[in-house]
């Protein structure tokens, strides 16, 4: 935005249960969709590709008003972005696999069943992820690093890396966006598995 980065968050119902499965987290209030859309419209109205992409993005926001679970909201946005970028990856839910064990064992088993040769994780998981379990299963662990991506023209102020992929899409469009992204692993390196 003209005032710097702005967080967009979705209010969720608190159950008092720590460690609740992600797919059990419920959205607290559908009003977030209107607030997000108003913020995006205001921040990106003058972006080169906002007008052409706005109908598709707005349609997902409108559909999310009906979603009860945060995971369903996430899935809609993942599908939107994948479609805009022309990605054909199959999107599945961890519920599609019957896995047991602690969180590390479940992750390893999910990756194994999905046929993954590598697991891509956010840097915060370094505190709890047991890489040994992955190594023993023949699954590599890669840590997401958000630095070093090429800069692209943004609307406001000096370049900021830590923004949504929507910033990239509204700024350069779907056709050029891939030039600013890191490639998937090459054939034989295994498919990455991420939560």
């Amino acid at each position: 935005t003209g005032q710097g980065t702005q967080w967009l968050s979705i209010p969720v119902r608190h159950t008092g249960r720590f460690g609740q499965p992600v797919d059990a987290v419920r959205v607290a209030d559908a009003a977030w969709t209107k607030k997000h859309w108003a913020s995006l419209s205001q921040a990106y109205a003058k972006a080169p590709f906002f007008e052409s992409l706005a109908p598709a993005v707005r349609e997902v926001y409108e559909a999310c008003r009906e979603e009860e679970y945060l995971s369903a909201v996430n899935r809609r946005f993942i599908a939107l972005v994948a479609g805009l970028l022309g990605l054909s990856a199959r999107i599945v839910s961890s519920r599609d696999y019957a896995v047991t064990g602690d969180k590390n064992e479940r992750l390893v088993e999910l990756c194994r069943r999905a046929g993954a040769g590598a697991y891509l994780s956010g840097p915060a998981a370094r505190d709890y992820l047991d890489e040994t379990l992955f190594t023993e299963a023949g699954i590599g662990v890669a840590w997401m690093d958000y630095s070093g991506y090429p800069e692209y023209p943004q609307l406001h102020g000096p370049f900021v890396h830590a923004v949504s992929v929507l910033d990239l899409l509204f700024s350069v469009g779907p056709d050029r966006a891939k030039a600013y992204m890191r490639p998937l692993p090459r054939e034989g390196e295994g498919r990455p598995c991420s939560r």
Side-chain angles (χ1 to χ4, degrees), residues 49 58 90 94 102 136-137:
F49 291 88
R58 185 175 190 157
R90 182 173 59 105
S94 61
D102 70 19
E136 290 170 355

Side-chain angles (χ1 to χ4, degrees), residues 15-192:
T15 63
R17 234 178 87 206
F18 182 73
Q20 179 181 20
V22 172
D23 66 347
V25 176
R26 293 175 185 254
V27 175
D29 180 1
W32 72 269
T33 59
K34 288 182 180 180
K35 292 176 185 175
H36 277 214
W37 183 247
S39 294
L40 288 172
S41 297
Q42 183 177 10
Y44 291 104
K46 294 182 181 176
F49 291 88
F50 181 77
E51 189 175 324
S52 63
L53 297 176
V57 177
R58 185 175 190 157
E59 182 178 315
V60 170
Y61 271 105
E62 289 172 359
C64 285
R65 275 191 237 152
E66 305 302 320
E67 294 295 357
E68 183 178 357
Y69 292 94
L70 185 61
S71 60
V73 170
N74 287 337
R75 191 175 183 124
R76 283 190 182 273
F77 279 100
I78 290 168
L80 167 73
V81 171
L84 291 174
L85 293 172
L87 304 175
S88 60
R90 182 173 59 105
I91 301 170
V92 296
S93 170
S94 61
R95 291 265 184 209
D96 297 338
Y97 305 94
V99 295
T100 59
D102 70 19
K103 61 182 164 186
N104 281 288
E105 293 164 339
R106 287 193 310 268
L107 282 176
V108 169
E109 189 59 24
L110 282 171
C111 288
R112 185 181 296 140
R113 291 191 184 190
Y119 177 72
L120 177 62
S121 181
R126 284 187 191 271
D127 294 340
Y128 65 82
L129 193 76
D130 185 349
E131 288 188 62
T132 306
L133 289 177
F134 286 84
T135 303
E136 290 170 355
I139 300 168
V141 175
W143 299 99
M144 189 63 204
D145 178 4
Y146 298 99
S147 64
Y149 280 87
E151 294 183 6
Y152 55 88
Q154 290 177 326
L155 281 179
H156 309 286
F159 186 83
V160 177
H161 280 286
V163 293
S164 166
V165 68
L166 291 178
D167 183 81
L168 174 65
L169 288 165
F170 291 149
S171 297
V172 302
D175 294 337
R176 288 188 49 223
K178 286 185 185 177
Y180 296 95
M181 299 171 69
R182 293 198 176 139
L184 291 171
R186 291 185 296 269
E187 191 67 36
E189 292 180 348
R191 292 181 306 210

